[in-house]
Amino acid sequence: MFERLASMEERYEHLSDLLCRPEVMNNPAELRTYAKEQADLAETVAAYRQWKQVGGAIEEAKAMLQEKLDEEMREFVRAELDALQAERARLEEQLQILLLPKDPNDDKDVFLEIRAAAGGEEAALFAGTLLRMYQRYAEANGWKVEVIDANYTDMGGFREVTMAIHGKGAFSKLKFESGTHRVQRVPVTESGGRIHTSTATVAVLPEVEEVEIDVQEKDIRIDTFCSTGPGGQSVNTTQSAVRITHLPTGIVVSCQDEKSQLKNREKAMRVLRARLYEKAMREQQEEQAAARRSQVGTGDRSERIRTYNFPQSRVTDHRIGLTLHRLEAVLDGDLDEIIQGLIVADRAAMLQAEEA
């Protein structure tokens, strides 16, 4: 591990030298490539340098204990040595995590799709609750949110809704949200006060560049129609809404958020590329028999990942066995404890796989 870290530090220093060279500074593409590589190494190199510094201090403390010291000074040095050794152990654990393979999609923006599943109108209302939860979470992180497409119901819920979330690290935090979300509550449509169980599915897709997924014009069919709002209300009487069908896969994407047909087409193409990328990645993983099955789940929408229980004000994430009794705060976008728990569990699974 430490040979690898030394090599990374050497590369980091070489990149610093390259970034100061006039020929690189005058080449925007090269400058951007080297700067990104150095930024990716920065946290690991800083931790490694701190580990070396602590190691040096430990050797100094051990040398001091070999000298003639009065008892008070000896106790002070021993206490300092214990603290330094604990810090070194912490840094070694941090370095192990930093050396884990990084998901190349972690820094990308995301498309988040929510669909009402079992439960009829109550499932559609729950989809709306999840939409608000993710919007509030995005706001708390300083991310920008734009609704790409929404299929409303008469009571103000959603059969399905797609939104784009733009912000650094959006995918790294939201990628574990894919799956089936279950709600247990008394629906507004229930006069007898009985608790119903309904579900909605969430899919989180990284946004990809055109160069990553090339969609041929011959492979798509584009239809236009009038956009609509809640309860079928007409929002735009012109044919501005766009529906794109990818003929080879049958994937269909709609967008009616903009008044401009051209802008709706552009947004729909972004979503289509994301879905095609996700499909290609899933097929690739399925082909690899030895692919790691994370403790936090496969991310498949058919997998039940979380339950929101209103009578007990309880949220349970089934993948990591985490239960919180503050449902209202979670639905208001306070997802940090859950998401951090999922990240820790994923890292633990990766460390276990590396050791195996």
Side-chain angles (χ1 to χ4, degrees):
M1 177 173 91
F2 295 108
E3 286 181 9
R4 184 176 167 194
L5 286 164
S7 174
M8 290 172 77
E9 183 183 34
E10 187 179 336
R11 176 61 180 170
Y12 182 88
E13 290 170 353
H14 181 57
L15 287 166
S16 296
D17 176 60
L18 285 172
L19 288 167
C20 293
R21 294 181 183 178
E23 64 269 25
V24 173
M25 294 175 73
N26 293 326
N27 186 326
E30 256 191 355
L31 186 67
R32 188 165 52 249
T33 300
Y34 290 146
K36 184 182 183 308
E37 185 183 354
Q38 189 184 53
D40 290 342
L41 291 171
E43 186 180 3
T44 305
V45 170
Y48 176 54
R49 286 174 173 172
Q50 191 178 353
W51 175 85
K52 289 197 296 182
Q53 186 178 354
V54 169
I58 286 172
E59 293 307 311
E60 288 178 14
K62 285 180 177 178
M64 283 184 69
L65 288 175
Q66 302 301 315
E67 299 173 4
K68 290 183 179 181
L69 303 171
D70 60 50
E71 195 55 36
E72 186 179 349
M73 188 61 180
R74 188 172 293 278
E75 284 303 313
F76 174 79
V77 174
R78 280 176 180 156
E80 184 70 15
L81 182 59
D82 288 344
L84 287 166
Q85 287 173 332
E87 175 65 4
R88 183 166 66 177
R90 184 193 69 79
L91 286 166
E92 286 176 1
E93 187 177 330
Q94 181 187 353
L95 286 165
Q96 276 188 311
I97 291 169
L98 288 169
L99 287 174
L100 289 173
K102 187 181 177 184
D103 187 333
N105 296 317
D106 273 354
D107 291 332
K108 292 183 177 178
D109 296 339
V110 305
F111 291 109
L112 194 147
E113 302 176 338
I114 305 170
R115 289 184 173 84
E121 188 63 49
E122 168 62 7
L125 292 170
F126 178 49
T129 301
L130 291 177
L131 172 65
R132 179 182 177 276
M133 179 180 78
Y134 291 123
Q135 286 175 323
R136 297 302 296 271
Y137 180 68
E139 287 171 13
N141 281 275
W143 300 335
K144 180 186 173 185
V145 176
E146 58 173 330
V147 174
I148 301 292
D149 188 44
N151 188 341
Y152 299 87
T153 64
D154 291 339
M155 293 184 65
F158 297 94
R159 292 184 184 87
E160 58 184 87
V161 58
T162 301
M163 62 177 171
I165 300 177
H166 308 279
K168 184 171 175 57
F171 186 76
S172 69
K173 291 187 175 181
L174 290 170
K175 62 184 176 183
F176 300 117
E177 292 301 295
S178 290
T180 298
H181 295 242
R182 180 175 70 171
V183 64
Q184 294 171 326
R185 65 183 176 187
V186 178
V188 294
T189 54
E190 170 60 52
S191 58
R194 292 174 298 178
I195 296 171
H196 283 222
T197 297
S198 305
T199 59
T201 63
V202 173
V204 180
L205 317 172
E207 182 165 5
V208 295
E209 302 293 332
E210 287 186 52
V211 292
E212 294 178 82
I213 293 290
D214 181 27
V215 181
Q216 301 291 325
E217 285 291 327
K218 64 180 178 61
D219 290 336
I220 59 175
R221 185 181 73 239
I222 300 176
D223 301 305
T224 58
F225 56 98
C226 293
S227 59
T228 58
Q233 175 188 351
S234 176
V235 171
N236 192 342
T237 55
T238 62
Q239 299 275 314
S240 61
V242 171
R243 182 186 299 110
I244 299 178
T245 304
H246 187 250
L247 301 174
T249 62
I251 293 175
V252 179
V253 178
S254 300
C255 181
Q256 55 180 331
D257 183 54
E258 301 283 351
K259 292 182 180 179
S260 160
Q261 185 184 116
L262 190 63
K263 288 182 178 178
N264 280 330
R265 171 177 169 153
E266 181 186 329
K267 285 187 176 183
M269 285 298 294
R270 285 164 51 202
V271 177
L272 176 61
R273 282 194 293 271
R275 288 193 189 170
L276 288 171
Y277 179 82
E278 189 264 346
K279 181 177 184 295
M281 290 299 99
R282 189 173 63 246
E283 289 173 352
Q284 184 183 70
Q285 288 167 2
E286 287 171 357
E287 288 171 4
Q288 296 169 346
R292 176 179 61 89
R293 290 296 180 183
S294 171
Q295 289 178 10
V296 298
T298 61
D300 194 286
R301 267 179 278 179
S302 64
E303 178 185 16
R304 189 190 71 191
I305 64 167
R306 193 175 300 148
T307 295
Y308 306 78
N309 184 292
F310 275 69
Q312 297 176 21
S313 188
R314 168 173 55 82
V315 180
T316 300
D317 195 287
H318 304 290
R319 296 163 293 180
I320 54 175
L322 176 65
T323 295
L324 304 175
H325 291 277
R326 47 186 187 87
L327 175 65
E328 189 176 336
V330 169
L331 292 178
D332 200 37
D334 186 4
L335 290 167
D336 283 334
E337 188 173 352
I338 297 173
I339 287 175
Q340 192 56 39
L342 291 163
I343 291 171
V344 169
D346 186 55
R347 285 174 175 170
M350 291 177 73
L351 280 171
Q352 191 175 7
E354 288 273 311
E355 290 168 1

